[in-house]
């Protein structure tokens, strides 16, 4: 009798052990249940957003005689209006083959303003880049390369501000209060043309990025003397990623400078 | 004989100590089972809501281009079979200050765009829902914003489609 009673307690303890194991499994399964689907829904939203943004950028109209924004109000006014893509193609067609800067300063500004307006609702959480490239035998040549980047300030635990480029430990990173974001125009060095490999290296450091691309047909005049035209293919791409700290060396990889500095300089020239 | 019966509490009484871990174990099991079941139901309902709002927004965006108010209304009619309540429409974010765009999304204080002759607005509501109907404070709300190209007087202007859904 005594032995039987002890065996019953051991059986019960085994049962308790099995139930505890089962409960732990249930809890761990429950805590992660749905996270994959949730992540893929969020991912799908980002992909949809970037696809729609690119479509809207390429469909948009613009004012011909001004760098001002085309708004709903100005759309009804009698001004010369054209598709933004037509203006871009026109600039490319009128440029020389060996010219590195194929878009005019005003086209660059209009395009930047248009992109900024379209990306406004997610501008706090995401950074992005937009480029137009023409396909050459040597690979893609980047005609326009714009980056929108969040600016951060770095602090030590004691509260002293340090350079974010420093590889220090226990650093607090927060949004730069004076200038939270900047636009950069890349591929701005006449001596060095960036390549797809540079872009891949840049994107490698960003984590999750969502991309959308659209093919373009670019018409070019073969020479100034003849009216002969040739058609080349190109690409317009938009890539977004959750705002993150991008080091200067990564920006240098793409030969980037602050947008305003370059465009104002060009206008003055 | 007397020695053998020492401490004997009867057939049930002898197994009594083993009942404590059994009852404790069953309580843990059923508690975690109920908790998991509730959690599964909650997550499933959240996912269903998210998929429904994606379905609504996909129906309204279609190809990312709205050619007229009539076109928008046609798109609106095509998405009426959903189970969630929603209020969607086209909003001109460029008319807002950059820093106020985010707060407008949070407060849901949208002013939807009017059509060319200002007789209608680009707004789409779930069937049976009134435009002035307030979203209940207790409702679980989801917001989605997408860029969209709106054609007006043969000019294409970038605007945003805002979808607010709740259950």
């Amino acid at each position: 009798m005594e032995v039987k009673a002890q065996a019953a307690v051991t059986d019960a303890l085994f049962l308790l052990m099995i139930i505890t194991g089962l409960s732990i499994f249930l809890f761990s399964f429950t805590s992660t249940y749905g996270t994959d689907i949730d992540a893929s829904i969020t991912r799908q939203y980002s992909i949809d957003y970037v696809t729609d943004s690119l479509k809207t950028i390429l469909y948009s109209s613009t004012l011909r005689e001004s760098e001002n924004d085309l708004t709903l109000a100005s759309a009804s006014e009698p001004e010369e209006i054209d598709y933004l893509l037509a203006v871009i193609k026109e600039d490319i067609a009128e440029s020389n083959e060996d010219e590195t800067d194929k878009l005019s300063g005003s086209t660059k500004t209009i395009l930047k303003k248009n992109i900024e307006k379209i990306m406004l609702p997610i501008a706090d959480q995401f950074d992005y880049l937009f480029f137009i490239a023409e396909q050459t035998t040597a690979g893609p040549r980047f005609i326009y390369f714009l980056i929108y980047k969040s600016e951060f300030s770095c602090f030590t635990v004691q509260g002293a501000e340090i350079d974010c480029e420093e590889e220090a430990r226990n650093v607090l990173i927060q949004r730069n209060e004076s200038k939270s974001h900047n636009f950069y125009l890349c591929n701005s060095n006449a001596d060095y043309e960036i390549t797809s490999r540079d872009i891949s290296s840049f994107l490698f450091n960003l984590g999750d990025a969502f991309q959308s691309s659209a093919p373009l047909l670019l018409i070019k005049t073969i020479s100034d003397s003849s009216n002969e035209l040739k058609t080349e293919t190109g690409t317009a791409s938009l890539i977004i990623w959750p705002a993150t700290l991008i080091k200067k060396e990564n920006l240098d990889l793409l030969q980037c400078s602050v947008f305003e500095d370059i465009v104002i300089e060009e206008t003055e020239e | 004989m007397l020695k053998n019966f020492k401490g004997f509490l009867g057939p049930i009484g002898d197994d009594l100590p083993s009942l404590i871990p059994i009852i404790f174990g069953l309580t843990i099991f059923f508690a975690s089972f109920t908790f998991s079941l509730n959690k599964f139901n909650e997550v499933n309902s959240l996912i269903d809501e998210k998929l429904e709002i994606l379905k609504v927004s996909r129906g309204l965006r279609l190809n990312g281009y709205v050619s007229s108010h009539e076109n928008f209304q046609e798109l609106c009619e095509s998405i009426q079979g959903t189970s969630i309540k929603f209020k969607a429409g086209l909003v001109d974010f460029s008319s807002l200050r950059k820093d106020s765009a985010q707060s407008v999304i949070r407060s849901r204080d949208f002013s939807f765009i009017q059509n060319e002759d200002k007789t209608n607005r680009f707004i789409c509501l779930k069937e049976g829902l009134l435009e002035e109907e307030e979203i209940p404070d207790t409702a679980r709300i989801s917001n989605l914003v997408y860029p969209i190209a709106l054609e007006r007087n043969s000019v294409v202007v970038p605007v945003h489609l805002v979808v607010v859904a709740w259950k």
Side-chain angles (χ1 to χ4, degrees):
Chain A
M1 281 283 192
E2 283 162 26
V3 174
K4 195 182 170 189
Q6 280 169 13
V9 170
T10 317
D11 287 350
L13 287 173
F14 271 124
L15 181 77
L16 183 63
M17 209 166 74
I18 292 165
I19 285 174
T20 311
L22 266 176
S23 301
I24 291 168
F25 170 73
L26 257 178
F27 271 114
S28 60
F29 183 72
T30 311
S31 62
T32 54
Y33 180 72
T35 47
D36 284 352
I37 300 174
D38 200 40
S40 63
I41 289 174
T42 313
R43 201 178 159 77
Q44 190 55 49
Y45 172 68
S46 303
I47 294 168
D48 285 349
Y49 194 97
V50 75
T51 310
D52 283 8
S53 301
L54 185 65
K55 245 185 225 179
T56 313
I57 292 164
L58 300 178
Y59 280 151
S60 296
S61 303
T62 183
L63 298 170
R64 291 293 319 217
E65 303 298 328
S66 145
E67 282 182 10
N68 290 339
D69 266 352
L70 178 70
T71 59
L72 279 169
S74 60
S76 343
E77 285 167 17
E79 284 192 75
E80 198 180 345
I81 292 168
D82 209 339
Y83 286 108
L84 177 58
L85 199 55
V87 177
I88 294 166
K89 286 185 176 190
E90 210 172 87
D91 275 11
I92 295 169
E94 285 169 4
S95 63
N96 293 325
E97 186 65 32
D98 51 350
E99 206 174 329
T100 49
D101 213 358
K102 291 179 190 291
L103 297 187
S104 68
S106 72
T107 308
K108 284 177 189 168
T109 310
I110 292 166
L111 193 49
K112 179 219 150 198
K113 279 184 181 174
N114 193 46
I115 296 167
E116 187 179 11
K117 188 159 67 175
I118 288 164
M119 303 304 282
L120 190 59
I122 59 160
D124 269 5
Q125 306 115 46
F126 286 91
D127 289 352
Y128 50 85
L129 69 83
F130 172 84
F131 65 77
I132 296 173
E134 62 176 340
Q135 198 60 44
T136 64
T137 45
R141 183 191 282 172
F142 297 92
I143 296 167
Y144 184 80
F145 203 116
L146 183 80
I147 291 185
Y148 171 85
K149 183 177 96 66
S150 302
E151 301 294 344
F152 296 97
S153 300
C154 298
F155 299 90
T156 60
V157 183
Q158 288 77 28
E161 189 168 355
I162 56 162
D163 187 357
C164 290
E165 301 294 319
E166 276 178 36
E167 288 186 358
R169 284 179 170 229
N170 301 324
V171 177
L172 304 172
I173 302 172
Q174 64 181 52
R175 212 28 84 76
N176 191 323
E177 281 173 11
S178 57
K179 184 81 177 160
S180 61
H181 298 92
N182 256 327
F183 277 96
Y184 291 85
L185 205 55
C186 304
N187 200 20
S188 54
N189 185 350
D191 302 326
Y192 177 77
E193 288 245 346
I194 60 166
T195 61
S196 304
R197 206 174 171 165
D198 295 327
I199 300 173
S200 303
S201 311
F202 176 80
L203 292 174
F204 182 73
N205 297 310
L206 300 177
D208 260 353
F210 310 97
Q211 177 170 8
S212 178
S213 298
L216 298 176
L217 278 181
L218 305 169
I219 310 236
K220 286 176 155 186
T221 42
I222 291 177
S223 69
D224 288 343
S225 51
S226 70
N227 286 330
E228 216 178 322
L229 300 170
K230 67 168 178 176
T231 308
E232 280 184 354
T233 54
T235 322
S237 282
L238 181 67
I239 304 172
I240 65 168
W241 62 89
T244 185
L245 181 70
I246 298 171
K247 293 203 168 180
K248 197 175 170 296
E249 62 184 89
N250 282 332
L251 277 182
D252 290 344
L253 201 69
L254 298 176
Q255 312 289 333
C256 299
S257 307
V258 176
F259 183 90
E260 285 76 15
D261 296 349
I262 296 188
V263 175
I264 290 169
E265 209 173 276
E266 277 177 14
T267 319
E268 281 169 357
E269 279 171 12
Chain B
M1 282 294 271
L2 272 173
K3 198 180 178 184
N4 285 347
F5 278 101
K6 197 177 181 184
F8 180 65
L9 298 171
I12 297 172
D14 235 17
D15 286 346
L16 209 58
S18 65
L19 286 177
I20 298 163
I22 289 174
I23 291 167
F24 185 60
L26 287 176
T27 314
I28 292 176
F29 178 73
F30 283 110
S32 55
F33 187 76
T34 316
F35 169 78
S36 301
L37 205 66
N38 289 337
K39 182 80 178 166
F40 290 155
N41 287 337
E42 192 190 321
V43 172
N44 282 343
S45 120
L46 261 172
I47 289 169
D48 284 345
E49 272 174 48
K50 285 186 176 180
L51 291 175
E52 281 289 297
I53 188 173
L54 278 181
K55 202 169 136 189
V56 169
S57 58
R58 194 158 288 177
L60 279 175
R61 292 185 293 125
L62 206 66
N63 58 1
Y65 193 93
V66 174
S67 56
S68 62
H69 187 262
E70 290 72 36
N71 175 221
F72 185 74
Q73 285 311 312
E74 275 170 29
L75 295 173
C76 179
E77 278 162 26
S78 69
I79 51 156
Q80 287 301 333
T82 51
S83 59
I84 47 162
K85 290 181 176 175
F86 66 87
K87 192 184 270 193
L90 301 187
V91 176
D92 183 15
F93 274 94
S94 63
S95 61
L96 303 166
R97 271 189 17 249
K98 193 185 171 188
D99 55 347
S100 65
Q102 296 292 328
S103 61
V104 165
I105 297 173
R106 279 192 290 272
S107 66
R108 297 170 197 92
D109 179 24
F110 305 114
S111 49
F112 295 107
I113 296 168
Q114 289 185 315
N115 64 347
E116 288 96 326
D117 47 13
K118 297 190 175 170
T119 50
N120 275 310
R121 289 196 298 156
F122 285 90
I123 184 164
C124 176
L125 300 165
K126 160 106 177 143
E127 215 167 21
L129 199 71
L130 297 170
E131 201 179 315
E132 58 273 13
E133 196 171 313
E134 291 281 319
I135 302 171
D137 292 336
T138 51
R140 200 164 49 200
I141 306 164
S142 311
N143 282 339
L144 284 183
V145 184
Y146 294 93
I148 204 160
L150 170 67
E151 188 182 327
R152 174 173 283 189
N153 303 326
S154 308
V155 170
V156 182
V157 186
V159 292
H160 288 91
L161 169 74
V162 177
V163 184
V164 183
W166 68 96
K167 210 162 190 178

